[in-house]
Amino acid sequence: QVHLVESGGGFVQPGGSLRLACVGSGFTFGAYTIGWFRRLPSLAQEAVSAIDADDRIKYYSPSVKGRFTISRDNAKNTVYLQMNSLKPDDTAIYSCAITRSVGRSSWDLSSLYDDWGPGTQVTVSS
């Protein structure tokens, strides 16, 4: 059974940093693209970033590019999202998800992701 768990969320002031982690089990971790999505207070969902199974291709939404960095450690079944220069607009519930069905033009389509973690809350406020 696929199991994904996020951690690392919390409360941070604008300009601060957080590192999220997504740990997976119950599947061949190194065979999957892992994506990060966020659910905003408005309930809108946004794609944030994704990393391919081979750790060669990384995708970022324009709103986070240059501030967030995605990485993975397949030996630990973990994907990380380093978030720097955080803004109040980054406040959301961040979830990770897995897929084997996305590419450069579709990495941000949540419907193509098969399994999801419950999410971790990130709040950016002064």
Side-chain angles (χ1 to χ4, degrees):
Q1 183 178 359
V2 173
H3 194 223
L4 296 165
V5 178
E6 303 90 346
S7 63
F11 184 94
V12 64
Q13 292 186 336
S17 299
L18 286 173
R19 188 176 80 154
L20 306 184
C22 168
V23 179
S25 62
F27 62 101
T28 305
F29 191 86
Y32 283 77
T33 291
I34 311 292
W36 283 98
F37 291 77
R38 63 188 182 186
R39 179 79 63 183
L40 303 174
S42 66
L43 300 184
Q45 186 181 55
E46 289 185 347
V48 176
S49 183
I51 186 167
D52 77 331
D54 298 325
D55 196 11
R56 292 181 301 167
I57 304 173
K58 302 176 182 181
Y59 307 99
Y60 298 97
S61 71
S63 62
V64 307
K65 193 170 186 178
R67 300 188 297 123
F68 291 11
T69 303
I70 193 169
S71 61
R72 68 189 297 159
D73 184 343
N74 288 342
K76 295 182 179 180
N77 281 12
T78 302
V79 167
Y80 302 99
L81 186 68
Q82 177 67 43
M83 307 188 297
N84 298 330
S85 302
L86 283 162
K87 306 174 182 179
D89 286 349
D90 296 317
T91 295
I93 298 173
Y94 286 71
S95 298
C96 62
I98 65 171
T99 181
R100 300 184 70 176
S101 305
V102 298
R104 192 173 298 276
S105 62
S106 61
W107 72 271
D108 56 347
L109 298 179
S110 61
S111 60
L112 297 182
Y113 288 76
D114 303 310
D115 294 276
W116 295 71
T120 184
Q121 176 71 48
V122 171
T123 302
V124 185
S125 175
S126 56

